[in-house]
């Protein structure tokens, strides 16, 4: 049993009756809801139904034991709700892991005991001062945390308190007035130049076929690590020399690959392959099929035929691809860069070769705006070189005028 009572211009109090205590006193739970939507406020029928729905939902939460008054809710209790109702529902797998990691690592241990309404902007400012001290480290090192860690903590806290405000748990967002920390130690992307790319391909000549194909695809197509891990033979058209990016494996969870399809049609992209890469893929396909036939009933890949997989058909963990790359560049004395930097190398090389930016963006799955954000400095240097090319015409012409 419950009731609805108007409290203000656009606020109502919901009351749920829970019987009587041992002294005969009525037990009630109350909650105030505000309605900002003018279309609901102007329609009495819709307004009545909306309030009744809110009352039913409130009553269900109480009976299920999931309702907690905002003023009684600790930060730790809210974070649990935030993870279950937002992080695990709306975010990508890797982002989920990162958000949970940072909340459990430092944020909850610091704020967990506090009630949500008690946390003010000054408390958040104090937290970032704490992060800038060696005391925030968990590894015993004496230097302060990197600025990238501070930025990620800022992002997570902003998400937590934004949801708390949206869900009416707090009235004011304590993140308002907190500036985003400067990320002054951000790792710059590294790429191979022409000589280093040549050395890389020289090193590949004596390597196993699967490793040659892995690194060649990474350099020539600019695929991300998860896209490499999720690549199957059905995505490759050797006759027409194209490859389609249709899925990704960002990580393994409990030993099982997390296979993610495209977010939308735009995220599926077709990439042209070079003749040399097509030839390598044709040879690798023959070798792959022989191994597949040898496995017979031990095959555990199901209908999937991943290019980079274990002998039983299960895909390689993305971290295993990184390990193979590290072992390769160390073996050949190449400059140590990340596997993801082969993607940057691919794009940088195309820019230097003056391939149109829209064509590059389509190839690597970026918008032109994103391309300029990441590779703007390279575009600028190429643009300056292009402008200087006119001196071949202008300088002789000026000399002629002077004479």
């Amino acid at each position: 049993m419950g009731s609805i009572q108007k409290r203000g211009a656009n606020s109502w109090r919901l009351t749920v009756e829970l019987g009587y205590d041992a002294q005969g006193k009525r037990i009630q739970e109350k909650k105030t809801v505000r309605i900002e939507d003018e279309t609901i406020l102007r329609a009495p029928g819709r307004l009545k139904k909306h309030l009744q729905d809110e009352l039913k939902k409130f009553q269900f939460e109480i009976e299920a034991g999931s309702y907690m008054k905002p003023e009684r809710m600790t930060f730790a209790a809210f974070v649990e709700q935030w993870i279950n109702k937002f992080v695990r529902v709306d975010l990508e797998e890797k982002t989920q892991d990162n958000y949970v990691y940072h909340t459990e690592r430092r944020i909850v241990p610091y704020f967990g005991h506090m009630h949500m309404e008690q946390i003010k902007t000054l408390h958040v400012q104090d937290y970032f001062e704490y992060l800038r001290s060696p005391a925030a480290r968990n590894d015993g090192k004496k230097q302060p945390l990197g600025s990238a860690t501070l930025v990620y903590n800022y992002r997570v806290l902003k998400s937590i308190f934004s949801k708390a405000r949206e869900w009416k748990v707090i009235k004011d967002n304590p993140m308002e007035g907190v500036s985003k920390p400067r990320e002054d130690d951000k790792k710059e992307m590294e790429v191979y130049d022409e000589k280093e790319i040549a050395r890389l391909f020289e090193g590949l000549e004596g390597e196993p076929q699967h490793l040659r194909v892995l690194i060649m695809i990474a350099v020539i197509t600019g695929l991300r690590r998860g896209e490499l891990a999720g690549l199957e033979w059905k995505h490759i058209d050797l006759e027409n020399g194209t490859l389609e990016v249709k899925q990704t494996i960002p990580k393994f969870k409990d030993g099982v690959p997390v296979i993610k399809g495209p977010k939308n049609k735009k995220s599926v992209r077709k990439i042209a392959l070079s003749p040399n890469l097509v030839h390598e893929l044709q040879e690798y396909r023959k070798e792959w099929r022989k191994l597949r036939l040898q496995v017979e009933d031990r095959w555990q890949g199901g209908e999937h035929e991943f290019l980079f997989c274990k002998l039983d058909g299960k895909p390689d963990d993305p971290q295993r691809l990184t390990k193979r790359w590290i072992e390769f560049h160390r073996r050949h004395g190449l400059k140590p860069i990340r596997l993801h930097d082969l993607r940057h190398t691919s794009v940088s090389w195309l820019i230097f070769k003056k391939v149109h930016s829209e064509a590059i963006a389509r190839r690597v799955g970026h918008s032109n705006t994103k391309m300029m954000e990441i590779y703007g400095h390279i575009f600028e240097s190429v643009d300056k070189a292009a402008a200087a090319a006119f001196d071949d015409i202008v300088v002789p012409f000026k000399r002629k005028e002077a004479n």
Side-chain angles (χ1 to χ4, degrees):
M1 180 179 175
S3 62
I4 301 169
Q5 182 183 3
K6 189 171 176 59
R7 298 291 295 172
N10 59 348
S11 65
W12 285 260
R13 176 182 287 169
L14 309 180
T15 303
V16 174
E17 300 288 346
L18 300 173
Y20 296 85
D21 62 17
Q23 287 74 40
K25 186 179 178 181
R26 292 168 71 182
I27 304 171
Q28 297 176 324
E29 283 289 0
K30 297 179 180 180
K31 174 183 177 182
T32 299
V33 295
R34 294 179 61 83
I35 301 174
E36 307 290 349
D37 190 335
E38 290 293 332
T39 60
I40 294 176
L41 291 170
R42 288 197 299 264
R46 284 186 65 191
L47 176 60
K48 183 178 180 181
K49 184 179 184 307
H50 180 82
L51 289 169
Q52 288 174 341
D53 288 344
E54 286 294 312
L55 180 61
K56 287 177 184 175
K57 186 166 65 175
F58 179 38
Q59 189 162 359
F60 176 78
E61 287 175 349
I62 292 170
E63 291 171 354
S66 61
Y67 175 72
M68 185 180 289
K69 287 186 177 181
E71 61 270 21
R72 297 179 192 163
M73 184 173 280
T74 63
F75 181 86
F78 177 77
V79 164
E80 188 177 341
Q81 300 265 355
W82 170 76
I83 290 173
N84 293 331
K85 295 179 180 178
F86 170 67
V87 176
R88 296 298 187 198
V89 176
D90 293 342
L91 302 182
E92 294 289 330
E93 290 281 342
K94 282 186 72 175
T95 308
Q96 288 180 29
D97 290 347
N98 288 333
Y99 272 39
V100 172
Y101 170 82
H102 284 286
T103 54
E104 291 179 348
R105 184 91 166 165
R106 294 184 181 88
I107 295 174
V108 168
Y110 189 92
F111 291 107
H113 66 287
M114 298 178 72
H115 289 93
M116 289 297 289
E117 281 290 357
Q118 291 178 329
I119 302 173
K120 307 300 179 187
T121 301
L122 191 59
H123 294 120
V124 180
Q125 296 282 19
D126 288 343
Y127 174 67
F128 281 102
E129 284 303 310
Y130 160 72
L131 290 185
R132 291 184 178 95
S133 71
R137 298 196 72 102
N138 296 316
D139 54 10
K141 294 181 181 178
K142 294 185 178 180
Q143 63 265 38
L145 295 167
S147 61
T149 301
L150 270 70
V151 169
Y152 215 99
N153 273 258
Y154 176 86
R155 186 187 307 171
V156 174
L157 280 170
K158 193 172 181 181
S159 174
I160 290 170
F161 286 113
S162 293
K163 284 298 172 189
R165 178 73 181 86
E166 182 183 324
W167 295 344
K168 307 292 191 298
V169 173
I170 56 175
K171 293 177 182 177
D172 300 308
N173 188 338
M175 291 301 290
E176 292 176 7
V178 180
S179 301
K180 180 181 176 182
R182 291 179 59 184
E183 195 166 357
D184 48 23
D185 59 355
K186 186 176 180 181
K187 182 177 174 62
E188 294 293 329
M189 68 176 181
E190 294 189 78
V191 299
Y192 283 156
D193 59 24
E194 186 174 2
K195 290 181 180 178
E196 288 166 327
I197 293 173
R199 283 186 59 203
L200 180 150
F201 280 101
E202 284 173 11
L204 284 176
E205 288 180 9
E207 294 290 346
Q209 194 117 40
H210 71 273
L211 184 61
R212 281 211 307 274
V213 169
L214 170 67
I215 295 175
M216 284 182 73
I217 291 176
V219 174
I220 295 169
T221 68
L223 260 61
R224 301 174 178 88
R225 185 178 73 167
E227 293 169 344
L228 289 165
L231 194 59
E232 296 189 51
W233 285 111
K234 64 185 177 184
H235 302 144
I236 297 176
D237 183 345
L238 291 174
E239 188 175 335
N240 294 304
T242 60
L243 173 155
E244 280 192 295
V245 181
K246 287 192 169 184
Q247 66 187 26
T248 179
I249 298 179
K251 65 167 194 171
F252 273 53
K253 189 172 183 178
D254 300 326
V256 179
V258 176
I259 303 175
K260 301 191 76 70
K263 292 180 181 177
N264 49 55
K265 289 182 180 179
K266 288 185 179 179
S267 58
V268 175
R269 63 187 193 275
K270 184 178 285 190
I271 302 171
L273 306 175
S274 68
N276 282 330
L277 179 52
V278 170
H279 175 71
E280 286 290 338
L281 283 164
Q282 287 170 336
E283 295 301 307
Y284 180 47
R285 177 69 168 154
K286 294 173 188 175
E287 181 183 302
W288 191 96
R289 278 178 170 163
K290 286 179 184 176
L291 292 172
R292 170 71 178 86
L293 289 171
Q294 290 172 12
V295 174
E296 295 181 342
D297 58 349
R298 288 173 291 145
W299 180 261
Q300 295 184 44
E303 295 180 357
H304 295 290
E305 292 187 336
F306 295 101
L307 264 74
F308 310 112
C309 62
K310 304 178 182 67
L311 289 176
D312 62 5
K314 292 180 180 178
D316 279 331
D317 188 312
Q319 293 181 350
R320 176 60 184 148
L321 302 185
T322 294
K323 188 177 179 183
R324 284 179 184 166
W325 161 247
I326 293 171
E327 290 170 348
F328 169 78
H329 76 60
R330 284 178 178 171
R331 195 158 53 242
H332 294 279
L334 294 168
K335 180 173 72 177
I337 66 174
R338 300 169 302 170
L339 178 60
H340 189 75
D341 285 326
L342 294 182
R343 173 177 167 81
H344 294 319
T345 297
S346 180
V347 174
S348 301
W349 184 249
L350 292 173
I351 293 171
F352 279 119
K353 286 295 184 179
K354 300 182 178 63
V355 176
H356 196 285
S357 62
E358 284 187 14
I360 302 173
R362 282 197 302 271
R363 189 173 179 85
V364 297
H366 274 322
S367 65
N368 248 350
T369 306
K370 188 71 175 176
M371 284 281 295
M372 290 305 297
E373 273 181 35
I374 301 173
Y375 305 101
H377 60 293
I378 303 176
F379 277 111
E380 285 172 12
S381 64
V382 171
D383 189 47
K384 286 178 183 177
F390 281 94
D391 283 348
D392 294 341
I393 300 172
V394 176
V395 173
F397 177 73
K398 284 203 165 191
R399 284 176 183 163
K400 188 176 180 183
E401 270 193 338
N403 293 332

